[in-house]
Amino acid sequence: MKFGKEFASQMVPEWQEAYMNYNFLKNLLKDIMIYRRQQATSPENLLPPPSKATTLKRRVSLFRAFSGLTSRYSNKIPTKDKEDEVILVNAMHTADEEQGEHGRSYRTVFLRSSEDGGEYELIFFRRLDDEFNKVVNFYKAKVEEVVKHAEELNLQMDAFIALRIKVSNPAAASPFITQTNTGYPLEVIHEEHQEKRSDKVNEYQMASLDILKHIKINSSKSDLHFSKKELGDAKEKLKQAFIEFHEKLRFLKNYVFLNQLAFSKIMKKYNKITSRNASDAYLQMVEESYLGKSDEVNKLLERVESAFIKHFCNGNRHQGMSTLKPNVKRKRHRDTFFVGCFFGCSLALVVAIIVNVHARDLLKSRGRTQYMDTIFPLYSLFGFLVLHILMYAGNVYYWTCYRVNYSFIFGFKPGTELGYTEILLLSSGLSVLTLAAVLSNLEMELEPNTQSYQTLTELLPLGLVIVVILITVCPFNIFYRANRFFLLVCLWHCICAPFYAITLPDFFLADQFTSQVQLLRNLQFYVCYYGWGDFKKRNADTCKDKGVFHVITIVIAVVPYWIRALQCIRRFWGGHDSTQALNALKYFSTIVAVVARTIHARQKGVVLQIIAGSTSGVATIFQTYWDIVMDWGLLCRNSENPWLRDKLILPNTSIYFIAMVLNVILRLAWMQTVLNFTEAPFLHRNALIAIIACLEIIRRGIWNFFRLENEHLNNVGKFRAVRSVPLPFSHENEDKNL
């Protein structure tokens, strides 16, 4: 792999703009190379063939003493003649400290600008200096940020240790000992600081308990009760804070290494193209700069690791380091193998079902209508689910290709996020089970020997639903338990929307349910079909004739939008964001439109048709504007990319316009209900409803990609690469000098 691609693959996605622009500098070097080639091939610059003297000189050089491979004679630095100097690097002091390290800005003086083509090299060094100053400034700002964060963690650990002493062994507390910050950040949790022996008594000194008088619990802003629950909660929060802080420090360490390597590579490439020796002087400046000499990050890494192992892992270094540095998830070939097997089996089962239906002319049989009214809704539920998972797998694939950090955005634990291969494995496995059940259902009905088992035939879909539910809630560590529990937690937050702080995974999942209204209605049909015993005679008249069933149908369609509206209200109430109030109003307008369309589908009439059409039109305009402008961040008039946004991930801008048009078209799927186009000569009503539902799932899949792209770019704009973890304690005095 070329260095440029390797460099890009190892970047922190949210910090991509802060890295050295290697490709841009490489293009400048290409311009220099092209110019030199043009000059070399011009007739006046063609060189004569080498003379015999040159050849003789080369031969003589072959008989010189071997200089060695280990640089034995390199103790003395060779002196460089002034005639060989190419560049001079100066550290210019500036009035604004934001310009660089301690108010420094590095500038390179190119000494050969008067030579032919020197203007190209002059431009290269100017851009090189700009990139280097950008890297140094960013790194210095981040170091200052982590040092301040370390000081805050230092105070938090003071309070945590004091609380632990108070809770675990109150009698052993030493109120006369006072101890505050007296050195590097996190020194209070350094082993030497905590286990320093007293000169007078042969015992370990303990932390002061005076700090407990000045802190409160962040979750309730109340005074401490010195309970074990408070201690446990504080420990968990601080443990997570240390993990995130350690990850940020590792990002910074890797940032320094990659940029230093990039400057080394680009200077070597410059030497090769120009046949000059300018890399030594420039790389020496890089080593002597803040980027090369600063060791705050390495010191903090050592202290954080030492403190984490001691206070959160009982001194077990292996356990501590495995928690701080989780293993990188690797792709398993067996997943790819089983995906191929399952998809092959799915195709074979589809062919078998088509052949079976065609050979026995089932589409024209008398039981066709009865089958479509009962069995088809039962199995179409799994079709909706498989299609949604496939769309999510496609999203993950393209997020990975374009380096959208979906794992960080969703908040997955490192190493537990599912790749597109694992998601395809789930969807293909579920499709095999569903298609096998459909084929078995057909065979059991058509074969004379199995017609007496009609009850067992009808129970196949219910058994499949029970299997899926049991796998989802299974407590054992199988079938991606971490992801299943993450899904269940988000689902619970959606159900209890007003009572939990709303995070992105919560409202993202709720948005998925707004596109799966038909799946929820099919679940309702399961309850009615099997609960009232209609499966014994394959007749859904009981469900169709019950007025309660139709009322619940409306409620089921409203519930996902109601949850989203409550989430928006909660976010507005918690953050006072006025846009969330408008977002809630959007979902309320959708609720009105859904209710009007559902009533119109049952009771035809011109008045109801006008109400359904007008409410649906208003809701569609509202939703389309919100999708494109608010969720996707597009349609910016003064953008660098006309009617898009300044930063785009996809290289082809036409894809964004195609997505916007598709979003509008698929949003208009409700028109088939308002225009009474609920049946077709060649399609059953339930089949047409399923097709419309599939189109909505596809629209949601497209929406998912651009929604997360916009979220990723927001994180990039703010350089947010790690999660913000709430700390357990708050300090009463503002200066924090406890």
Side-chain angles (χ1 to χ4, degrees):
M1 181 185 293
K2 292 185 177 181
F3 175 74
K5 292 183 178 180
E6 185 178 357
F7 182 52
S9 66
Q10 296 186 22
M11 291 180 181
V12 178
E14 289 76 14
W15 294 354
Q16 189 171 358
E17 295 295 327
Y19 285 83
M20 187 256 268
N21 196 337
Y22 182 81
N23 290 331
F24 174 70
L25 295 175
K26 190 171 70 171
N27 290 333
L28 293 179
L29 290 181
K30 286 183 179 179
D31 295 339
I32 298 174
M33 182 175 62
I34 292 172
Y35 178 81
R36 284 177 169 265
R37 285 180 178 176
Q38 291 175 347
Q39 292 298 109
T41 55
S42 60
E44 60 273 12
N45 291 329
L46 289 177
L47 298 176
S51 61
K52 293 183 179 180
T54 307
T55 305
L56 180 60
K57 184 178 180 181
R58 172 61 180 164
R59 286 182 179 177
V60 172
S61 67
L62 295 176
F63 296 95
R64 291 177 180 174
F66 183 56
S67 60
L69 297 176
T70 58
S71 302
R72 291 176 298 168
Y73 308 104
S74 60
N75 292 332
K76 292 194 303 181
I77 300 175
T79 58
K80 185 183 293 185
D81 297 335
K82 290 186 177 181
E83 295 180 356
D84 296 333
E85 289 183 346
V86 180
I87 59 173
L88 291 176
V89 184
N90 299 320
M92 301 172 60
H93 292 271
T94 57
D96 188 0
E97 290 189 358
E98 294 181 357
Q99 293 292 328
E101 173 214 346
H102 302 299
R104 290 182 179 181
S105 177
Y106 293 93
R107 285 291 176 261
T108 302
V109 179
F110 181 58
L111 302 177
R112 306 294 179 89
S113 57
S114 60
E115 295 182 5
D116 194 17
E119 62 274 9
Y120 289 95
E121 299 180 52
L122 184 63
I123 293 174
F124 168 75
F125 280 108
R126 286 179 180 175
R127 298 295 179 266
L128 183 67
D129 290 338
D130 292 340
E131 293 297 318
F132 181 72
N133 289 322
K134 177 187 72 174
V135 169
V136 172
N137 293 343
F138 177 81
Y139 179 65
K140 184 173 184 295
K142 285 298 177 183
V143 169
E144 293 175 352
E145 184 179 315
V146 295
V147 168
K148 291 180 180 178
H149 193 181
E151 292 173 353
E152 177 61 29
L153 284 178
N154 203 25
L155 294 171
Q156 294 286 324
M157 285 301 298
D158 277 337
F160 171 70
I161 293 172
L163 180 62
R164 183 167 59 188
I165 295 173
K166 183 73 174 179
V167 173
S168 303
N169 191 7
S174 299
F176 58 86
I177 297 176
T178 59
Q179 171 230 335
T180 57
N181 303 321
T182 58
Y184 283 105
L186 293 177
E187 190 171 352
V188 68
I189 53 178
H190 199 266
E191 295 197 16
E192 294 179 1
H193 193 80
Q194 288 298 320
E195 298 182 359
K196 184 171 58 177
R197 290 180 177 269
S198 173
D199 295 335
K200 297 182 180 179
V201 291
N202 191 21
E203 295 180 354
Y204 290 113
Q205 290 189 352
M206 292 188 182
S208 170
L209 301 185
D210 290 341
I211 192 174
L212 297 178
K213 301 176 182 179
H214 307 283
I215 63 172
K216 292 182 180 295
I217 297 294
N218 270 334
S219 59
S220 60
K221 294 294 182 181
S222 61
D223 294 332
L224 290 169
H225 297 89
F226 308 109
S227 64
K228 290 186 177 181
K229 183 179 183 303
E230 290 177 339
L231 181 64
D233 293 341
K235 183 177 180 180
E236 287 301 318
K237 288 183 179 179
L238 277 175
K239 182 178 180 179
Q240 190 61 36
F242 267 75
I243 293 173
E244 298 297 332
F245 186 57
H246 186 269
E247 184 179 20
K248 188 171 185 177
L249 292 174
R250 286 190 291 112
F251 284 166
L252 279 174
K253 185 176 180 179
N254 185 61
Y255 176 84
V256 173
F257 171 76
L258 284 180
N259 280 288
Q260 286 180 328
L261 184 59
F263 282 108
S264 175
K265 291 286 186 181
I266 203 68
M267 288 308 300
K268 288 181 180 179
K269 190 176 287 290
Y270 169 82
N271 287 355
K272 182 178 180 180
I273 290 175
T274 62
S275 300
R276 304 184 192 276
N277 187 14
S279 62
D280 293 342
Y282 201 89
L283 294 180
Q284 183 180 359
M285 179 273 297
V286 173
E287 288 294 329
E288 295 176 353
S289 67
Y290 186 82
L291 192 71
K293 286 189 174 182
S294 175
D295 61 346
E296 286 93 340
V297 172
N298 291 328
K299 289 180 179 179
L300 281 174
L301 270 172
E302 293 176 0
R303 291 190 175 94
V304 167
E305 291 172 1
S306 175
F308 187 84
I309 292 169
K310 177 181 178 182
H311 292 280
F312 301 105
C313 299
N314 295 324
N316 189 332
R317 181 171 181 80
H318 177 73
Q319 178 187 353
M321 296 309 297
S322 63
T323 305
L324 290 174
K325 297 180 180 179
N327 295 326
V328 179
K329 189 175 182 180
R330 296 181 180 179
K331 292 184 178 180
R332 296 182 297 184
H333 296 293
R334 65 180 181 183
D335 291 341
T336 307
F337 172 77
F338 281 114
V339 167
C341 288
F342 288 154
F343 268 109
C345 292
S346 298
L347 291 176
L349 289 170
V350 168
V351 172
I353 292 172
I354 294 174
V355 170
N356 208 331
V357 171
H358 180 72
R360 304 186 185 187
D361 203 13
L362 297 180
L363 294 178
K364 297 181 180 179
S365 64
R366 290 179 298 176
R368 169 180 175 267
T369 301
Q370 187 181 22
Y371 187 90
M372 293 299 296
D373 286 339
T374 56
I375 303 300
F376 182 81
L378 300 178
Y379 282 117
S380 61
L381 177 145
F382 299 100
F384 300 147
L385 189 58
V386 169
L387 178 60
H388 209 125
I389 297 175
L390 284 175
M391 293 299 297
Y392 180 66
N395 287 329
V396 170
Y397 173 77
Y398 285 107
W399 287 334
T400 305
C401 289
Y402 294 105
R403 293 181 57 77
V404 175
N405 197 353
Y406 69 95
S407 176
F408 166 68
I409 295 173
F410 285 134
F412 294 125
K413 291 182 179 179
T416 63
E417 71 278 2
L418 293 182
Y420 64 91
T421 307
E422 290 89 347
I423 301 172
L424 287 176
L425 181 62
L426 292 175
S427 62
S428 59
L430 182 58
S431 66
V432 168
L433 290 177
T434 304
L435 293 171
V438 172
L439 184 61
S440 300
N441 201 308
L442 290 175
E443 291 292 341
M444 292 177 71
E445 289 180 350
L446 297 174
E447 290 295 331
N449 297 330
T450 57
Q451 285 185 357
S452 59
Y453 300 99
Q454 292 181 0
T455 302
L456 179 61
T457 303
E458 301 299 315
L459 289 175
L460 276 176
L462 179 63
L464 192 56
V465 168
I466 293 174
V467 168
V468 172
I469 293 176
L470 289 178
I471 291 176
T472 303
V473 300
C474 178
F476 302 110
N477 193 14
I478 55 175
F479 298 112
Y480 311 114
R481 181 178 64 177
N483 293 272
R484 290 189 285 107
F485 282 13
F486 184 85
L487 176 65
L488 292 175
V489 170
C490 292
L491 181 60
W492 177 251
H493 289 176
C494 291
I495 296 173
C496 306
F499 307 107
Y500 287 95
I502 307 302
T503 59
L504 187 141
D506 300 333
F507 69 75
F508 193 88
L509 179 62
D511 276 322
Q512 309 310 304
F513 282 115
T514 60
S515 297
Q516 285 285 12
V517 171
Q518 193 56 42
L519 180 145
L520 297 177
R521 284 175 171 171
N522 286 3
L523 282 176
Q524 175 200 359
F525 182 75
Y526 264 89
V527 175
C528 180
Y529 190 68
Y530 290 103
W532 271 266
D534 289 349
F535 70 97
K536 296 178 181 178
K537 52 188 176 183
R538 185 176 283 185
N539 193 336
D541 291 340
T542 304
C543 296
K544 293 180 180 179
D545 296 339
K546 284 184 175 295
V548 178
F549 181 83
H550 301 301
V551 174
I552 296 177
T553 301
I554 298 176
V555 174
I556 288 292
V558 166
V559 165
Y561 300 103
W562 176 254
I563 291 175
R564 281 297 290 122
L566 292 179
Q567 288 178 336
C568 293
I569 293 173
R570 173 59 193 259
R571 293 179 70 191
F572 169 72
W573 187 264
H576 303 287
D577 185 2
S578 60
T579 58
Q580 293 303 318
L582 293 175
N583 201 11
L585 183 61
K586 178 194 73 174
Y587 286 107
F588 281 124
S589 68
T590 306
I591 290 173
V592 175
V594 168
V595 172
R597 288 201 302 266
T598 306
I599 295 175
H600 172 256
R602 297 293 304 172
Q603 303 175 6
K604 306 296 182 182
V606 178
V607 177
L608 288 176
Q609 186 176 21
I610 294 174
I611 294 174
S614 57
T615 55
S616 298
V618 172
T620 300
I621 294 173
F622 206 164
Q623 291 170 338
T624 303
Y625 170 80
W626 202 271
D627 285 347
I628 297 174
V629 178
M630 304 301 293
D631 291 337
W632 294 359
L634 303 176
L635 293 183
C636 301
R637 297 179 57 185
N638 300 323
S639 172
E640 296 177 2
N641 305 293
W643 296 106
L644 299 176
R645 35 177 143 76
D646 292 334
K647 294 182 180 180
L648 302 173
I649 289 180
L650 301 179
N652 192 350
T653 57
S654 61
I655 296 178
Y656 292 91
F657 294 103
I658 294 173
M660 287 189 281
V661 173
L662 282 176
N663 186 273
V664 174
I665 293 174
L666 295 177
R667 277 284 187 192
L668 297 176
W670 53 265
M671 293 182 66
Q672 57 88 22
T673 303
V674 176
L675 298 177
N676 297 326
F677 184 66
T678 56
E679 290 192 21
F682 54 89
L683 281 177
H684 189 271
R685 180 177 182 274
N686 287 338
L688 183 61
I689 291 174
I691 292 174
I692 299 301
C694 289
L695 291 178
E696 172 59 21
I697 294 171
I698 293 172
R699 187 200 67 80
R700 179 59 61 183
I702 298 172
W703 180 90
N704 288 343
F705 176 83
F706 294 102
R707 176 66 183 86
L708 218 68
E709 178 201 16
N710 192 29
E711 186 69 23
H712 170 74
L713 291 175
N714 289 333
N715 290 335
V716 169
K718 299 176 182 178
F719 298 107
R720 293 184 301 193
V722 294
R723 286 178 287 272
S724 298
V725 179
L727 297 174
F729 306 111
S730 60
H731 304 272
E732 290 183 348
N733 48 336
E734 297 179 357
D735 57 359
K736 299 182 182 180
N737 293 326
L738 303 179

